[in-house]
């Protein structure tokens, strides 16, 4: 978010952050998921008007669910499936002032598929767009340590029974 500080100040865009848990460790490539979040936030900023909010949330359940939601231009039903295509730029949502190669969402989709996860999009023209993706929860070091102790204990007890 700090990377976009100048643009956000200029457009008077604010972020609303919501986290359902104090901490949440996920099993993922940190740099690749950082790129996913960067691309989603970048698009939200590009397609949001001045004085808007962008909502970023993390819900922890059986997986971590990450959402980036804006109240920007929105994506038409006709274009929604094509946004994942490389180099695709929708004429109706991209003005001449919008910079980009049309690769961002393609990279997002490919990265999440490489993590065996998926991404959903909900969008209404003139209302905004929400992208939601999931990542697997990582086992904590303590849980892993306890699990290894239990496995060791089981092996020892089985050895004593013979």
């Amino acid at each position: 978010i700090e990377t976009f500080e100048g643009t956000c100040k200029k457009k008077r865009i604010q972020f609303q952050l919501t986290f359902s848990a104090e901490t949440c460790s996920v099993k993922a490539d940190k740099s690749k998921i950082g790129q996913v979040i960067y691309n989603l936030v970048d698009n939200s900023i590009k397609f949001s008007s001045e004085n808007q909010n962008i909502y970023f949330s993390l819900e922890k359940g059986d997986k971590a669910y990450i959402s980036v939601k804006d109240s920007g231009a929105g994506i038409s039903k006709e274009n929604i499936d094509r946004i994942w295509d490389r180099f695709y730029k929708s004429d109706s949502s991209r003005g001449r002032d919008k910079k980009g190669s049309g690769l961002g969402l393609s990279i997002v989709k490919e990265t999440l598929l490489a993590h065996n996860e998926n991404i959903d999009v909900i969008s209404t023209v003139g209302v905004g767009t929400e992208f939601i993706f999931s990542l697997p929860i990582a086992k904590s070091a303590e849980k892993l340590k306890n699990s290894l102790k239990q496995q060791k204990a089981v092996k020892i007890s089985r050895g004593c029974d013979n």
Side-chain angles (χ1 to χ4, degrees), residues 112-143:
L112 291 169
L113 288 175
H115 280 79
N116 295 315
E117 295 296 330
N118 207 344
I119 185 164
D120 292 317
V121 59
I122 302 164
S123 189
T124 303
V125 173
V127 176
T129 304
E130 180 176 19
F131 289 94
I132 306 163
F133 66 94
S134 60
L135 292 170
I137 301 290
K139 284 188 176 182
S140 71
E142 191 60 37
K143 284 182 184 176

Side-chain angles (χ1 to χ4, degrees), residues 11-25:
K11 289 179 84 173
R12 293 183 299 281
I13 291 175
Q14 294 187 13
F15 284 87
Q16 302 295 323
L17 308 174
T18 306
F19 301 97
S20 69
E22 191 172 311
T23 61
C24 181
S25 296

Side-chain angles (χ1 to χ4, degrees), residues 4 16 35 44 52 63 77 80 93 97 101 139 149:
F4 303 109
Q16 302 295 323
Q35 186 67 52
S44 288
Q52 297 292 319
K63 292 186 175 197
K77 288 181 183 183
I80 205 93
S93 68
D97 62 327
S101 62
K139 284 188 176 182
K149 279 184 184 177

